[in-house]
Amino acid sequence: MQRYLAAKEACDTAWAAYKRLARNDALALRVDQLSTAQVEAETLLMELPAPDMRALHWKLAQILTDDGDGFTTPWSFSLVQPILDDAKRLGANG
């Protein structure tokens, strides 16, 4: 009986560990999906023309925020160019 109880405990422990990992894998997959959706939405916002100064400010805050090391993230010029275009267009309008 002692051998059975030890094997049963090992089985239950292994099953619980498996369930934790399976849940964590599903959670990690969901976090990856949400992160991808957020990055895609933010990239689209960066590419679209800013309709007003508030939107331009948001774009500038995205590219000029300190990464925590005293520097900003280097951005692709394909994302910076629309911001420069926004500043020129909105600046000319007032």
Side-chain angles (χ1 to χ4, degrees):
M1 182 67 161
Q2 188 66 18
R3 188 171 170 203
Y4 171 82
L5 291 176
K8 176 70 168 117
E9 182 178 348
C11 179
D12 290 347
T13 300
W15 179 247
Y18 167 79
K19 285 174 51 176
R20 275 194 309 277
L21 288 175
R23 184 178 68 236
N24 288 341
D25 287 348
L27 180 61
L29 177 61
R30 184 65 180 141
V31 167
D32 286 346
Q33 291 169 339
L34 291 171
S35 177
T36 298
Q38 187 272 330
V39 167
E40 289 173 354
E42 186 173 283
T43 299
L44 179 59
L45 282 172
M46 295 294 278
E47 292 171 344
L48 289 172
D52 54 30
M53 292 299 283
R54 182 175 171 211
L56 175 58
H57 178 266
W58 178 87
K59 287 182 169 189
L60 289 169
Q62 301 311 301
I63 67 168
L64 298 176
T65 299
D66 184 344
D67 282 344
D69 59 2
F71 295 92
T72 59
T73 300
W75 288 82
S76 164
F77 194 72
S78 66
L79 287 177
V80 173
Q81 184 62 57
I83 297 170
L84 294 174
D85 294 343
D86 290 339
K88 183 177 181 180
R89 179 176 40 79
L90 292 171
N93 290 336

